[in-house]
Amino acid sequence: MIPNGIDPSKVTRILFQDFSPWMLAIFYVYAIGCMAAFAWGVYAQVHKYRAGRRGARLAWGDIGRRLLDTAKTIASHRTLRRRDTTAGRLHAFIFYGFTLLFIGTATITLQEDILGPLIGLEFWHGHFYLLFKLTMTLAGTGFICGLLYMMWRRGWLKPPKLDYARPDRTPQDADFSRERYRIEDWAFLWTLLLIGITGFLLSGARMVWLQNDPAVWDTRWWAPVGASIAAGLKAVGFTSAGAGALRMGLWWLHGVLALTFIALIPYTKAKHIFTAAASWLLRNPDAIRHLPLGDLDADRIGYRELGDVASRYLVQADACTKCGRCHEACPARAAGYPLSPRDVVLTLREQANTHLGEVLPKPRAAGCATPLIGLATGEYRPETLWSCRQCGACTEICPVGVEHVPLINMLRRTLVDEGEMDPALQRTLGAVNKTGNCFNESRRKRPNWTKDLPFKIKDARKEPVDVLWFVGDYASFDPRNQKVSRAFARILHSAGIDFGILYEGETTAGNDVRRVGEEGLFQQLAEGNISTLGDCSFNRIVTTDPHSFNTLKNEYPDLGGTYDVSHASAFLKELMADGRITPARKLDFTVTYHDPCHLGRLNKGYDAPREVLAATGVKLVEMGKSRDNSFCCGGGGGRVWVPDPPGTTKVGEIRAREAAEIHGLDALVVNCPKCMTMLEDAVKTTGNERNFRVLELTELLAEALEPEEPAVLPAHAEVG
């Protein structure tokens, strides 16, 4: 490995070769200054984060699990590779290249400034040094390739998600432009690229400078990029003296760039190197399905002022890299609403930096009373917050664990508290408070849908049942969904299931009420249902409504209601696996399936509905956006109760058009009462009702269980 006749101890690199004492003094003074600037910046950021509201302390056991999960996520880059594989892989080149180069620099520092002077230990020579050179070359090459791709992507490919145009502002607004972020992005990339390039140039110049030293020249190909540059320098006429002068200039340029970059990390985009890991470490893995419990006795339960915001959201705001994945995934933004989840996060970052201090920490009281919502520069517009469907698409795709959904919900709680909402929404909340349902119907009418059944459903309040079916508002009052309820009841009855319902004792579970931001009414509804359920005897709860399923399963435990809860699709799968229901025939339909956000993305209920569909014999063709990337129907977050403003497209219409692209489609299958309502209306609006229908999963299964000819939908029929 080392040519014969060369002393291995000479195969090394003297870091400060030919440096005068005053040069060394300047270097160390600048290096210490940069490290001090870095340390001060870290202090300023931590001070800023501590100005937020404290959350619950993490248990030591949980910290270990979180650290391991964070390490796996960072090492695998799995969240960065999702839905943008090329960018994720090239970011891994940058990450691992940067990490190895940093470790290499730290290794040099360890010998030159610590172990060598203190105990005389020197290891940076011989075979170790050669392997070190080769490793650094590979790391630097990958680093530069990753950076060049990102520059090409940003400058030439220009994906729409990297456009920082704000849908919540007009060019006349003072905070419309975010050009500074674009400048910061390019400065970040160019600085890193120059650090990488000057490192290779420095290596090549050193080789030419010391070309008469066999320990340098004869081992040069262990750094193949540097050796190639050295050959190029010699080819254009560089002598040892000329290369020595070039080496000195490059040494200072490379060193100053690297040290300056370190100093600026806490103040620039580069801080995501640390804040992204911290965000992932602190994140709530249940953020989109389990909203924070509000203290109704507190002065306020939402985020009215900057000081109300939890510290981890301030960390997450700095972790955001502006990659645009949440912006791209947001159904409200796609439909023309004034909402981009990325802008929600960046607005919080800007408020925190301005009022809590990014460079010079400000006293805690100075920024804590800063209002968050309003029409002033830098504040959240109410219409932006009301545009959110709470579907979780943004939070689910974020590669650094930012929790957009609960942040928006906490801001909405302030709007509800101040009565600033659409009149239609206000009327619906009033109806829920008065009647226990969003249809403003008498409680006595809730079980009316059962009257057309040929059998009596048990009243779970009066007699024990094995399965308590929590029906939900839409499945109880909406005529279209009542048909589905009767089909599900017939299936349970034919399977011999001992089941019952709460009749007029049931009130809405409150999932959508909570996601609107009406925390007080939600807790009132939940406590009422928990009290009713507490007087019943049952083993498990089943519901056909994903919204009710989510809140019963994930949020009621906070208020003392812990149950075994299943969605109807999972329960039907169980019944088929147990042989209690068996399809009598195969349905010759071509269908596609819409994953409800609350069943799919929030609770990972992807497979059971598809297995039920497979059992019916239908041909399932997936839409482009399915499973965790499913597009919202538009009805979540209380938007099912609010009319769409002029100038916007219904979110459901976008979904309906996506389904219409499937050739020969007979039916769009849904698995949620609200999705049924939103998508059936959308299909009619877009003129697709003559091409395919919207059907519920239970309806299809009920048809497959009957031996007669299908009545729901003949294969490839035109239904008008």
Side-chain angles (χ1 to χ4, degrees), residues 214-231:
V216 175
W217 189 251
D218 292 352
T219 61
R220 67 189 184 279
W221 288 107
W222 282 93
V225 175
S228 300
I229 292 173

Side-chain angles (χ1 to χ4, degrees), residues 19 31 102 211 319:
F19 269 53
F102 179 81
Q211 61 183 297

Side-chain angles (χ1 to χ4, degrees), residues 93-171:
F93 279 28
I94 297 172
F95 169 77
Y96 280 109
F98 180 89
T99 301
L100 288 171
L101 291 171
F102 179 81
I103 292 172
T105 303
T107 301
I108 299 170
T109 303
L110 181 66
Q111 176 182 287
E112 293 292 322
D113 297 321
I114 301 175
L115 297 180
L118 291 178
I119 61 176
L121 177 62
E122 295 185 356
F123 53 84
W124 198 41
H125 55 73
H127 294 106
F128 175 85
Y129 173 69
L130 294 180
L131 290 172
F132 175 90
K133 284 208 301 183
L134 180 60
T135 302
M136 293 301 99
T137 297
L138 295 175
T141 302
F143 181 64
I144 289 176
C145 288
L147 290 169
L148 289 173
Y149 171 78
M150 293 302 177
M151 297 175 85
W152 176 70
R153 176 174 177 262
R154 187 174 290 275
W156 283 269
L157 290 183
K158 296 182 178 179
K161 62 186 174 184
L162 294 182
D163 181 0
Y164 292 152
R166 299 188 61 172
D168 60 337
R169 297 291 192 271
T170 65

Side-chain angles (χ1 to χ4, degrees), residues 658-679:
E658 184 180 4
E661 294 174 359
I662 298 175
H663 177 71
L665 183 66
D666 293 312
L668 167 59
V669 178
V670 298
N671 198 15
C672 167
K674 291 186 180 67
C675 293
M676 169 69 78
T677 298
M678 301 300 290
L679 292 177

